Amino acid sequence: ARPALAEGACEPAPAIAGLAAADALPRFAAAYESMLARVRAAYPKARVWCVTHCAGHSRGCEGATFTDNLRGVPLAAYNAAIREAARTTGANVADAAAFGLDYQCREDGVHPTVFGMAQLARMVELSIEHEAEIAAEHEAFGVLRGAPGPATAALAAQVVAETGAYVS
């Protein structure tokens, strides 16, 4: 994945060379759906939750240090594939991306710090508690990073107040 190179951003971690293959997104979607189908087959009574991805924010930087794309494919496209695979297989979605927040990550721009894990955990917890509202807003407004619907914006404000999550 490629770190952001925004003006004033901290020096990014080295990027993995090259863009994703043209079929990276369809392969991810197929593999994710296959994984969920295998979980469903092995544990038919389990309540399965899929978590969408949001951007990382390294300490000491003013904005997200990790862009919203993974080697040229927008994270929103991967998140759409996660949502669709969940819908197809009867899983639930803890839509962390809908909050439009960044989590605190290590210098690699991806892996959360202890604080970042608490931020992600709170987003997941609220996503589970308010799944129907978030899904309804997704249908009504779409989910654009940084532009949550009114109910999700209120939940995002709660996360920020409770954890100090970043908003880029």
Side-chain angles (χ1 to χ4, degrees):
R2 298 204 177 278
L5 296 175
E7 186 176 321
C10 292
E11 185 65 30
I16 297 171
L19 296 177
D23 65 345
L25 183 60
R27 284 183 26 230
F28 170 82
Y32 200 92
E33 187 171 329
S34 174
M35 173 198 62
L36 290 176
R38 287 191 314 272
V39 169
R40 179 67 61 219
Y43 305 99
K45 294 181 182 180
R47 195 156 180 219
V48 178
W49 288 90
C50 304
V51 180
T52 56
H53 302 286
C54 51
H57 184 122
S58 294
R59 289 179 290 205
C61 296
E62 293 195 19
T65 51
F66 207 65
T67 61
D68 284 331
N69 74 64
L70 182 61
R71 295 181 62 207
V73 180
L75 284 182
Y78 285 105
N79 287 337
I82 290 169
R83 291 182 193 103
E84 179 59 22
R87 187 193 63 73
T88 300
T89 60
N92 303 82
V93 177
D95 205 343
F99 288 76
L101 301 174
D102 303 338
Y103 63 92
Q104 187 183 88
C105 61
R106 298 184 189 283
E107 289 71 27
D108 67 1
V110 178
H111 296 96
T113 61
V114 171
F115 180 68
M117 198 66 231
Q119 293 169 314
L120 288 170
R122 188 62 178 137
M123 284 188 266
V124 168
E125 180 181 31
L126 288 171
S127 294
I128 290 170
E129 290 173 11
H130 299 276
E131 179 189 21
E133 297 153 71
I134 293 170
E137 282 192 349
H138 184 266
E139 289 297 317
F141 302 107
V143 175
L144 302 173
R145 191 173 141 26
T152 310
L155 293 172
Q158 184 177 342
V159 172
V160 170
E162 292 175 6
T163 68
Y166 298 102
V167 182
S168 293

